[in-house]
Amino acid sequence: MDLTPSPALVQLELRGPVAVVRLARPAKRNALSDAVVAQLRDIFQTLPATVRAAVIDGDGPHFCAGLDLSELQERDAGAGLHHSRSWHAALAAIEQGPVPVIAALHGAVVGGGLELASACHIRVADASTFYALPEGSRGIFVGGGGSVRIPKLIGAARMTDMMLTGRVYNAEDGERAGFAQYLVAEGTAFAKAMELAERVAQNAPLTNYALMHALPRIAEQPADHGFFTEALMSAIAQSAPEAKERVRAFLEGKAAKVAK
């Protein structure tokens, strides 16, 4: 058995309360191999308790060009099922983990790279970003959760068009379609993502948790169920000691008010 540890294909850097998680395969346009996916899963499952937000970035000119096709092999249906489920577990560790995650998008956000981006809670794209789902032309289907997450961003019709025709969205059209919430100048996506992460990290942790875990579920519940879930979550969040301190500070004029 080969006990040699896998190289650090994903780097973790702690900047105060923000974890910077960087794909580190620039020569491969940060393509997602099985080892990369496993390292992403392990990092997000073991984040230090001091972390309050995270940023996912890609080393080099591209965020992530998708599945590492050099690893694509003949699989029977069972092996393919388990491979897809391993991606689901890794991306669920991001989407359903302990802290909000912001993606700093640039260059290629393609295939599995778009699936990875869609698992994040906020996406910042710079002007070099482009989006594509080439699986349709390669005779395969998305397997990393894209069929669930991406239509929630852009709609099933747009995703169908991308996979049927190979359509590529540039940064501006992609922002309008809903791939990203922010569009910034080329080369500044990481700086903007860090700015947002530092702001998010200042929120009450229970409020952030509610936004990550309760809000998506409420959005998919029937209205009466959603209202009840909202009431429960609201009661829990406002009962936290930190929430009480923040409301008290606002009432005493010690907290900033909303401004343009």
Side-chain angles (χ1 to χ4, degrees):
M1 179 183 295
D2 183 4
L3 298 179
T4 305
S6 298
L9 303 173
V10 184
Q11 299 171 346
L12 172 64
E13 177 189 357
L14 300 181
R15 298 192 184 185
V18 177
V20 177
V21 180
R22 181 168 287 115
L23 304 178
R25 301 183 79 201
K28 289 277 192 177
R29 301 207 304 173
N30 295 317
L32 296 172
S33 64
D34 288 349
V36 171
V37 171
Q39 289 181 25
L40 278 169
R41 177 201 63 212
D42 293 346
I43 285 172
F44 279 95
Q45 287 181 340
T46 59
L47 284 174
T50 55
V51 172
R52 293 288 180 264
V55 171
I56 295 183
D57 189 25
D59 189 14
H62 299 285
F63 175 74
C64 178
L67 173 68
D68 187 342
L69 292 177
S70 68
E71 288 193 352
L72 196 63
Q73 54 186 301
E74 295 291 336
R75 296 189 181 98
D76 61 23
L81 169 67
H82 291 302
H83 182 261
S84 176
R85 293 298 284 162
S86 72
W87 278 55
H88 293 166
L91 299 193
I94 296 170
E95 182 183 38
Q96 300 170 18
V99 300
V101 182
I102 300 169
L105 306 179
H106 54 285
V109 183
V110 172
L114 182 51
E115 293 184 290
L116 171 59
S118 71
C120 299
H121 304 96
I122 298 175
R123 285 159 295 280
V124 179
D126 82 4
S128 72
T129 305
F130 60 94
Y131 310 90
L133 290 168
E135 287 85 350
S137 64
R138 292 173 182 157
I140 56 178
F141 192 73
V142 289
S147 62
V148 174
R149 295 189 180 98
I150 296 171
K152 292 178 181 178
L153 301 180
I154 65 170
R158 283 197 179 98
M159 182 173 177
T160 300
D161 175 40
M162 291 177 73
M163 293 192 70
L164 286 175
T165 69
R167 181 175 180 174
V168 177
Y169 281 81
N170 63 26
E172 186 174 342
D173 290 342
E175 191 256 348
R176 283 198 294 263
F179 288 108
Q181 292 101 317
Y182 296 85
L183 178 59
V184 296
E186 184 170 348
T188 66
F190 178 74
K192 180 64 176 180
M194 278 298 300
E195 174 195 326
L196 294 171
E198 289 166 352
R199 187 183 310 168
V200 167
Q202 296 174 23
N203 295 340
L206 191 55
T207 299
N208 281 348
Y209 191 86
L211 290 168
M212 295 168 57
H213 292 267
L215 185 58
R217 289 171 169 83
I218 291 170
E220 295 187 351
Q221 290 177 336
D224 58 336
H225 294 191
F227 290 139
F228 188 70
T229 305
E230 177 188 85
L232 291 175
M233 199 67 248
S234 176
I236 293 168
Q238 71 186 26
S239 69
E242 185 171 347
K244 293 181 184 299
E245 292 174 9
R246 289 173 182 238
V247 171
R248 188 179 305 114
F250 178 81
L251 294 174
E252 293 174 356
K254 298 177 181 177
K257 293 180 170 60
V258 175
K260 289 183 180 180

